[in-house]
């Protein structure tokens, strides 16, 4: 059993120089995606994307909602949906409070 383990390790070590990895990818050429769903009394979102293609979706539901998005790329796509409600009118939306 020891001989089998030793020969396996020796084979893997001998084959290691033959293995070729992919070159490191430049994230600026890959699409960037961001999805954020916030359902608190106070919601804040700051998104910065610097890729060739940028996509962002933010949904906020609360008493106070604030969102800021900065995108720089060839394709920039951003959608923010904000729903405001008063906690006293809808007590079932704030469980435990």
């Amino acid at each position: 059993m020891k001989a089998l383990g030793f020969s396996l390790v020796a084979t893997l070590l001998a084959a290691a120089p033959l293995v070729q990895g992919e070159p490191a990818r430049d994230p600026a050429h890959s699409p960037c995606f961001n999805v954020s769903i916030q359902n608190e009394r106070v919601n804040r979102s700051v998104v910065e994307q610097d890729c060739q293609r940028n996509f962002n979706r933010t949904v906020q539901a609360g008493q106070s909602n604030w969102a800021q998005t900065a995108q720089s790329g060839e394709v920039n796509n951003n959608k923010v949906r904000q729903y405001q409600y008063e906690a006293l009118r809808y007590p079932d939306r704030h469980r435990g409070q």
Side-chain angles (χ1 to χ4, degrees):
M1 191 64 160
K2 286 185 180 181
L4 178 63
F6 178 74
S7 63
L8 181 62
V9 169
T11 304
L12 290 175
L13 287 175
L18 302 175
V19 176
Q20 295 182 7
E22 291 184 21
R25 290 187 176 184
D26 183 5
H29 297 296
S30 300
C32 291
F33 296 95
N34 183 67
V35 176
S36 177
I37 300 172
Q38 300 174 330
N39 187 22
E40 299 294 332
R41 190 175 68 78
V42 177
N43 300 303
R44 300 181 72 76
S45 172
V46 177
V47 177
E48 293 183 22
Q49 294 177 309
D50 184 18
C51 297
Q52 189 174 5
R53 293 173 299 191
N54 301 300
F55 301 92
N56 177 57
R57 299 295 182 267
T58 301
V59 177
Q60 297 175 323
Q63 190 172 358
S64 175
N65 303 311
W66 183 83
Q68 176 180 332
T69 305
Q71 297 175 318
S72 59
E74 199 172 303
V75 175
N76 300 306
N77 191 306
N78 178 51
K79 289 196 185 343
V80 176
R81 300 284 189 254
Q82 295 176 320
Y83 303 95
Q84 186 177 17
Y85 63 87
E86 294 180 28
L88 297 176
R89 280 193 185 173
Y90 306 100
D92 58 327
R93 291 192 183 181
H94 278 34
R95 295 179 191 122
Q97 291 185 0

